Amino acid sequence: MKQLRISQCMIVKNEEKNIEQALSWGKDIMWEQIVVDTGSTDRTVELAEAMGAKVYHFAWVDDFSAAKNFACRQAKGDWIAFLDADEYMDAENVKRLYGLLIRLERSHSLCQAIVTNWFNVDETGKVFIGGNQIRIFRNRSGVHYQGRIHEYLVRGKRDLDGSELMDACDQLTIYHTGYTPQALAAGQKLERNRRMILKELEERPNDYKMLGNLADTYRAGGEYEEAVNWYEKAVAALPPAEKMAGVLDMRTSENFAFLLTLLCELRKEESRIRQTYEEALRYVPADADFDYIVGRHYAETGSYAKGAAHLHRAMELLNQNGNVCYGMLLTANLRLAWEYLATCYYNCGQLKDCVSACVTLLQADRFAMGVLRLLLAAFLRDAKSSKAPGQESGAANDPAQIAGGKQVLAFLGRIYDFSAAKDRIFVLRTAKDVPYPGLTQAVRELFTPEELRILDGMEKSGK
């Protein structure tokens, strides 16, 4: 078998601060690196050439597809990895990508493109929104980009279909830094994007993808009512739902998800929210985001039974269908969704379900104090409803109180390592905060007298 040839391609303009990382993250697996400059006035070209990239120049014509297609025509590899200068993969993802492409080549797979996770991260590396993208594809004649902006791959005159795509979201993630809130606040990208989208809409006024992209610019700029208006136009421009059946189209999911989010956040009429939710399910019944959004809305407005039902359904849909074109918001906010679900269960009196949800969260982050507090509150409420001896009243040192506390302590031992001082102190402080006297006393018995003297002294001094 011949050596695997991957062409890394990117188009750039004034990417001096990003170009070195952009050409470094995948250098070990790339057969060639192609940089198409569209008019930089900084050191982008100089740095790219110094790193060994093949640099080409393309006169910018307000058309991302034109520039990207020019870059693809320069590529001689079997596969193209087309990431922007402000995008990257970490070392583990690079290793998995190379292994995956080797397996596809050896198996003579008909796969034409790979769908990966795509996460926007802030300056600290924290994900604030997620989605999917197709950035890795075979270098084949007929596969090209379409659209001046928010361009997407097509084969001939049609979108790539499910039979040509490989879902690698469980293996590969691309990280993007260019749409941090700070970057958007500068306004330059929003103005550029809006101008180019409006130019596209002059030619295709009923293009639901471009209408949704236009709505995105208003949402990102804080013009929420205007965004709602354009999302509703995008939804109205969709082809009939039966024609969209089985089509993997993230833009349709995004239009409904962002519209639903704004309707809920702006506290629009319940009937309007429900109508949009039901219409969304007609088009994309596998998407977990719609139930996540309305479930979160019900949790925040005190309709806990409805919230629990929708959030539970969202989790089931995500488990059944994954997040390729589905569940991008839920995937990026999974922990928050579990917290909402646990809260809904608690307020509905579904205490066993609340405990289960809290345990799921604590197994991922055992030092989430709010979650542990909710778990202990559920134990207390359950004890009171079942009238367990000593749980309704009595002093902290009452034997029945301590016995009940020790039962809870034994349960928490599945999550916490009580041989570690940090775990003991964390549980003790949370038990006091709830308050849970029986558990507090049971945890205190795990400390030596000297440790307790120090802890009590710190508590008195406010530390």
Side-chain angles (χ1 to χ4, degrees), residues 105-148:
E105 289 294 290
R106 288 175 177 170
S107 66
H108 304 290
S109 170
L110 298 178
C111 165
Q112 298 298 311
I114 297 171
V115 183
T116 72
N117 280 320
W118 184 75
F119 289 154
N120 281 284
V121 296
D122 61 21
E123 285 79 1
T124 67
K126 182 180 178 182
V127 174
F128 62 89
I129 192 170
N132 314 122
Q133 291 283 346
I134 301 173
R135 297 302 180 87
I136 301 147
F137 51 95
R138 288 188 189 274
N139 189 6
R140 293 286 187 272
S141 175
V143 176
H144 62 280
Y145 284 98
Q146 179 172 297
R148 284 186 176 88

Side-chain angles (χ1 to χ4, degrees), residues 4-8 29-32 77 79-81 98 101:
L4 181 65
R5 304 189 306 172
I6 309 172
S7 297
Q8 181 184 6
I29 68 168
M30 299 303 171
W31 182 68
E32 64 177 353
W79 288 85
I80 292 175
Y98 190 78
L101 294 181

Side-chain angles (χ1 to χ4, degrees), residues 16 22 50 105 146 306 374 451:
E16 180 181 280
E105 289 294 290
Q146 179 172 297
K306 290 181 179 179
L374 183 61
E451 288 173 332

Side-chain angles (χ1 to χ4, degrees), residues 352-364:
K352 289 184 178 179
D353 291 327
C354 175
V355 168
S356 178
C358 287
V359 168
T360 297
L361 283 163
L362 290 170
Q363 286 173 336

Side-chain angles (χ1 to χ4, degrees), residues 256 260 269-280:
F256 278 116
L260 263 178
E269 301 86 351
E270 182 71 13
S271 59
R272 193 171 172 187
I273 293 172
R274 294 301 305 179
Q275 182 179 356
T276 302
Y277 166 76
E278 290 164 7
E279 184 76 353

